[in-house]
Amino acid sequence: MATLIAPINHSPVADAEALHGAFKGWGTDEKSVITILGHRNVYQRQQIRKSYQEIYQEDILKRLESELSGDFERAVYRWMLEPADRDAVLANVAIKDGSKSYHVIIEIVSVLSPEEVLAMRRAYHNRYKHSLEEDLAAHTTGHLRQLLVGLVTSFRYGGAEINPKLAKTEADILHESIKEKKGNHEEAIRILTTRSKTQLLATFNRYRDDHGISITKKLLDNASDDFHNALHTTIRCINDHKKYYEKILRGALKRVGTDEDGLTRVVVTRAEKDLKDIKELYYKRNSVHLEDAVAKEISGDYKKFILTLLGKQD
Amino acid sequence: MATLIAPINHSPVADAEALHGAFKGWGTDEKSVITILGHRNVYQRQQIRKSYQEIYQEDILKRLESELSGDFERAVYRWMLEPADRDAVLANVAIKDGSKSYHVIIEIVSVLSPEEVLAMRRAYHNRYKHSLEEDLAAHTTGHLRQLLVGLVTSFRYGGAEINPKLAKTEADILHESIKEKKGNHEEAIRILTTRSKTQLLATFNRYRDDHGISITKKLLDNASDDFHNALHTTIRCINDHKKYYEKILRGALKRVGTDEDGLTRVVVTRAEKDLKDIKELYYKRNSVHLEDAVAKEISGDYKKFILTLLGKQD
């Protein structure tokens, strides 16, 4: 379930005019920006952008960039991009950022549906005049490259068929691959990058049945390098992406100084999808409401905006 | 330029009825099948299939399979499939056939546009309930797998931008990779599977300028195993696919016993695209018209059908 609260009817023209008013004169009326954009769904936001362009011959994204600043600006900007385009931007930033951000790329391509991944790759072409795999492959080597490029280029089968025999064989292959730290991981990479998600879930379940421990826990014992970390993230995102996002939020809010990028990313990408479920998981795990943790850690317009997306009533 | 001669106007219903008539009673009126289907473009053929289904509650493809036989049946069947679906079938047959047929897969994904490759991968899902890369990866290993899976999963950027500096660097990397027979080919694989075709053409040109020999000729000296053969096919298909197809036809017709599969594949997949150009290349290279070579090597209805697709006037 989503957390976003959006009206069923809205006038893109009225919204564009109200936002234009909020930008006028000295200073910006941030409150109006939050009240309007924090309550519009993806379709409505694109309509506003279109209307704004038509009325004022200006891209509202550019205008928002110059009117707002800091974490608030980044959050609003990402919120305003079309999802496929936003994910392309996130992936590109992660590539430039290097191995500490590769989990963002894994997260995007492992959580999205196969067709959504294609849309993101198309958006990447349009924006960067390169393919995503081209840029990613040029920045990585060895097993890590094989895994990452395999994940972003895969067009997984989306059906519900399961082959139980294959689940057994491939659970064993994954087990062997995790055991040997310096082993040949090509088969593990093949399995994780090509099998359907349904088949992989069957394989992970089989792993737990046969080895008495979940594959993610087992991998944690061995996650000592970038490749094993990437393997771990991949399996977690495929296995249960809501649990994965809960942990990202927990880590982001627990850090000294807060990881605003992580917080923004999860809230902005999930607010219209399943942030309500993630919020519940957060409460279950931390005995603190996500809104309260957020309210304590961040401040100002950024805080107001994030809380709005989290479903706080004005 | 295409060789197919199709009418601007046709009635799918009249065609379906005429074909139904051709199937009636003992024996089949193959001449009508050839006259009708050999002169309909891809859109018209799909209309006929639809009308036939509506009028007779039967898939004309199934009917054709039972009415026709041998090479003629296979050629008509492939001609009747939607291109993306046909390519999915060709790729699946090639996977099962093993390394001697991998050139078919390379050919499909290297010649099609990036969006056409996606359509083919979608058709593969629908037909086989697996992804193409999943089946291909499960049948291959090592560098050959990396190259093949990289090629089928790539969504190349389609723009015309060229980076000349990159072309120089990567021409050198390809040169090193070809020299060392047992070397680490990961960088060569990365380049060939991720760069845009325009960029790769610039790289191949640079290779020729710097090394005084074309990269395909250089590779021929070293093509001793499946991997190097696959590398060679990849570069030829990207570099000049018409020249590549001419050579496939030459090889198919020169063999003792003729390679009907190769002949059918090229004619059926290119008749609506650039078979006229390929025919001209064939004549230039062999001083024999392709139609004459075909007429000499094959016979019966199969021959009539292939010649029709080659543009022979009835």
Side-chain angles (χ1 to χ4, degrees), chain B residues 120-149:
Chain B
M120 183 269 286
R121 293 170 76 187
R122 235 178 247 121
Y124 197 101
H125 279 200
N126 290 338
R127 193 173 262 270
Y128 302 109
K129 311 296 169 202
H130 278 153
S131 72
L132 168 58
E133 57 267 32
E134 181 174 6
D135 289 346
L136 186 55
H139 280 78
T140 47
T141 56
H143 283 138
L144 184 63
R145 177 199 281 170
Q146 276 183 48
L147 176 62
L148 292 173
V149 172

Side-chain angles (χ1 to χ4, degrees), chain A residues 114-115 118 121-122 125-126 128-135 137-143 145-146 149-150 153-158 161 166 186-187 190 193-196 199, chain B residues 114-115 118 121-122 125-126 128-135 137-143 145-146 149-150 153-158 161 166 186-187 190 193-196 199:
Chain A
E115 286 292 341
L118 294 187
R121 293 169 76 187
R122 234 177 248 120
H125 278 199
N126 290 338
Y128 301 109
K129 310 296 168 203
H130 277 154
S131 72
L132 169 57
E133 57 267 33
E134 181 175 8
D135 290 345
H139 280 78
T140 48
T141 56
H143 284 137
R145 176 200 282 170
Q146 276 184 47
V149 172
T153 55
S154 187
F155 179 52
R156 296 182 198 273
Y157 175 60
E161 294 87 350
L166 199 67
E186 300 207 355
E187 286 301 302
R190 171 184 66 77
T193 58
T194 65
R195 294 302 182 198
S196 78
Q199 179 67 31
Chain B
E115 287 291 340
L118 294 186
R121 293 170 76 187
R122 235 178 247 121
H125 279 200
N126 290 338
Y128 302 109
K129 311 296 169 202
H130 278 153
S131 72
L132 168 58
E133 57 267 32
E134 181 174 6
D135 289 346
H139 280 78
T140 47
T141 56
H143 283 138
R145 177 199 281 170
Q146 276 183 48
V149 172
T153 57
S154 188
F155 179 54
R156 295 183 199 273
Y157 175 60
E161 294 86 350
L166 199 66
E186 300 208 355
E187 286 301 302
R190 172 184 66 77
T193 58
T194 66
R195 294 300 182 200
S196 77
Q199 178 68 31

Side-chain angles (χ1 to χ4, degrees), chain A residues 156-190:
Chain A
R156 296 182 198 273
Y157 175 60
E161 294 87 350
I162 288 172
N163 178 338
K165 226 175 110 186
L166 199 67
K168 158 90 182 124
T169 329
E170 299 196 336
D172 288 344
I173 295 174
L174 291 176
H175 184 67
E176 285 306 309
S177 179
I178 293 171
K179 265 202 323 197
E180 317 165 56
K181 277 204 180 178
K182 303 261 158 210
N184 180 337
H185 300 293
E186 300 207 355
E187 286 301 302
I189 294 170
R190 171 184 66 77

